[in-house]
Amino acid sequence: MFAAITTLVVTGGQVGVQAVRTFLGYSQGTNPVMVTIFLLNIAIILMTWRRTNALRNEIGVDRQAEVRAQHLAMTDPLTHLFNRRAIKEKTSELSARASRRGKSVAFLMIDLDGFKKINDIFGHDSGNVMLREIADRMRDIVPSSSIIARLGDDEFGICIMFEPEYPETVDHIAEGLVETLARPVPIGDSAQSVTASIGISRPERGGDSIDMLIRRADIALYAAKENGRNGYSWFDNGMEVELRSRNSLEGDIRVAIPNDEFVPYFEQQIDLATGELVGFEMLARWASPVRGLISPDDFIPVAEETGMIGDLSMNIIRKAMLEAKNWDPKLTMSVNISPVQLKDPSLAQKIMKLLIETGFPASRFEVEITESSLFKNLSLAQSSVISLKKQGICIALDDFGTGYSSLAYLRALSFDRIKIDRSFVSSMLENAESAAIVNAIVGLGSSLQVPITAEGVENESINEKLRALGCNKGQGWLFGQPLNIDQVRALLLQKNLLPHRHQR
């Protein structure tokens, strides 16, 4: 194009004028070759200009497409918040901007408590309505300069800039989020609500990375959940130590299950009217070669949270059944089922499979279901209970009196036994309210013709009181502490209740 312009300038002068005059019919002495060159250069210039303009437009379209693609790659399509891919980059940018202004940042990790039930009960479309509303509420609460991202199904991350001397600013924002996100959301013809657990971290040293900031917020989120949910927690170093300990415990449990380290212990159940041994409740213990004998209070919550409780429980129950089938036929064995296990629709089939494999009679087996687990899984519990009862397995309602809808459960499910929670039994002689509850439950059982077992019988005075009330069975330290397999064998041999020789 440059060459064409140069030629046009050189030849343009008179040739251009003559060419125009010739074109108009006023001149006859113009050099035809020069006119042709002149016109050709004009054509080249026009063509080149058009191509350049078209190329410029194409570049503009490509740039717009690139911007749109980058926006889509960093945005959650449902809520139009940033996504997990974008959060680190955007948090880093906000942190750098805050540093230049002499400010600090806080990262909030947010998890919605109870969101899964929205999807399970009302469907994913309703869940999407909930998430979009939650996102809008977050935008209304946090400062406009903040970064908000959806990190997973019901997990969000927020980075906030604040004056380092006033961290209470972040507290106010967190409190506002907890309060606002808990408000019901209209879904169809009803209003549903979830709560939020929030973990918060801030840079502790100048060299803290964004990864560290987010990780600490995640640790604080775990602490907020441990503290009862529907609240927030700031990160502190003790949380990290606790989390490492928990992760170590989780790793050891994963190894312990296939290594057969979990073993059954047995707590005696006594007929209060006769004083005779009538059965045992199976309890779980962890005989760790490194940690020693570990209480279920220490490992059951971790096993439940990580989804290992099913395998762990079935492993122990199988051992207990193999042992108990050699007891006197009049002795029963009861097993407490975790609320997490009760969510398993194949629970009844798994239990029946164990009974068949071990040869333990269903008529001597009792499954205990806690009242609190029914509160969360009543419909699924009904299905499991019906299946188990059809096979001749007894069902007991455990920890009766600690829930909120006990009578409703008794109507919904045909229980074979009610167990009074140990907290009422152990304090019934000193606490009038506990005594009234125990008395009422025993009376209710008598009216419904459902036998009652009292847990937490710790002394003879409690035993005598329960016997006077007409309570059927009792268990507790008055009758002995939980026994391992060898101790149970020795006890049953002494009582002549081990007619069959134990077979390995």
Side-chain angles (χ1 to χ4, degrees), residues 293-307:
L293 190 64
I294 302 175
S295 164
D297 292 339
D298 295 327
F299 65 82
I300 291 294
V302 177
E304 288 180 332
E305 291 172 14
T306 57

Side-chain angles (χ1 to χ4, degrees), residues 17 39 47 61 73-74 102 107 152 160 235 265 280 292 343-344 415 428 459:
V17 174
L39 295 175
M47 185 184 302
V61 171
M74 302 183 75
F107 193 90
I160 296 171
F235 170 83
Y265 269 56
F280 294 88
K343 296 178 182 179
D344 183 359
F415 287 100
M428 63 182 293
N459 56 58

Side-chain angles (χ1 to χ4, degrees), residues 181-201:
L181 299 186
R183 293 203 306 261
V185 176
I187 297 179
D189 298 330
S190 63
Q192 302 300 321
S193 60
V194 296
T195 58
S197 295
I198 305 176
I200 312 173
S201 67

Side-chain angles (χ1 to χ4, degrees), residues 42 81 152 179 183 195 208 315 349 381 495:
I42 290 178
L81 301 174
E179 179 183 354
R183 293 203 306 261
T195 58
D208 284 352
N315 181 286
Q349 289 82 354
K495 293 179 176 291

Side-chain angles (χ1 to χ4, degrees), residues 9 17 30 35 42 66 69 110 194 222 231 242 261 273 292 338 340 379 441 456:
V9 172
V17 174
T30 305
V35 171
I42 290 178
E66 183 180 348
I110 304 172
V194 296
Y222 176 79
E242 183 179 342
E261 295 176 13
S338 160
V340 176
S379 60
I441 294 175

Side-chain angles (χ1 to χ4, degrees), residues 253-263 282 284 299-300 302-304 306-319 337-338 340-342 344 346-347 350 353-354:
I253 292 173
R254 292 189 185 280
V255 174
I257 294 175
N259 283 354
D260 228 19
E261 295 176 13
F262 293 96
V263 295
M282 189 213 80
F299 65 82
I300 291 294
V302 177
E304 288 180 332
T306 57
M308 293 186 283
I309 188 63
D311 290 342
L312 188 157
S313 178
M314 291 301 158
N315 181 286
I316 300 176
I317 293 174
R318 188 177 191 279
K319 292 178 182 177
I337 295 298
S338 160
V340 176
Q341 288 178 274
L342 201 58
D344 183 359
S346 63
L347 174 64
K350 290 178 179 177
K353 182 181 178 183
L354 287 181

Side-chain angles (χ1 to χ4, degrees), residues 315-502:
N315 181 286
I316 300 176
I317 293 174
R318 188 177 191 279
K319 292 178 182 177
M321 286 180 174
L322 287 171
E323 180 64 27
K325 74 177 182 179
N326 298 290
W327 300 344
D328 188 288
K330 73 177 183 181
L331 296 177
T332 62
M333 182 178 71
S334 63
V335 172
N336 192 289
I337 295 298
S338 160
V340 176
Q341 288 178 274
L342 201 58
K343 296 178 182 179
D344 183 359
S346 63
L347 174 64
Q349 289 82 354
K350 290 178 179 177
I351 291 176
M352 289 307 305
K353 182 181 178 183
L354 287 181
L355 290 171
I356 293 170
E357 289 178 354
T358 61
F360 187 74
S363 60
R364 293 172 54 199
F365 192 59
E366 185 173 272
V367 170
E368 299 180 5
I369 300 173
T370 61
E371 191 174 354
S372 59
S373 67
L374 291 179
F375 181 73
K376 301 175 182 178
N377 308 285
L378 182 58
S379 60
L380 193 54
Q382 285 178 306
S383 176
S384 296
V385 165
I386 291 171
S387 298
L388 292 170
K389 286 179 70 69
K390 283 182 179 179
Q391 304 301 324
I393 296 172
C394 294
I395 307 296
L397 179 58
D398 195 17
D399 297 343
F400 188 79
T402 60
Y404 300 96
S405 305
S406 303
L407 295 178
Y409 297 147
L410 290 177
R411 287 196 301 266
L413 297 169
S414 179
F415 287 100
D416 301 293
R417 179 174 297 279
I418 296 173
K419 299 189 73 174
I420 309 175
D421 186 69
R422 68 179 64 249
S423 62
F424 302 124
V425 176
S426 60
S427 61
M428 63 182 293
L429 299 182
E430 297 83 22
N431 187 298
E433 183 177 325
S434 294
I437 291 173
V438 172
N439 198 0
I441 294 175
V442 173
L444 179 64
S446 177
S447 300
L448 298 175
Q449 296 185 328
V450 177
I452 303 294
T453 296
E455 299 179 306
V457 183
E458 297 180 353
N459 56 58
E460 187 58 41
S461 298
I462 292 176
N463 187 32
E464 291 177 1
K465 181 65 176 177
L466 290 170
R467 189 163 51 240
L469 290 174
C471 185
N472 307 95
K473 288 201 303 185
Q475 61 186 82
W477 283 16
L478 173 64
F479 311 115
Q481 296 191 18
L483 309 172
N484 62 30
I485 287 178
D486 290 337
Q487 291 168 333
V488 166
R489 289 178 193 166
L491 175 69
L492 296 182
L493 281 172
Q494 178 185 346
K495 293 179 176 291
N496 198 27
L497 294 173
L498 198 63
H500 303 293
R501 188 174 180 179
H502 182 75

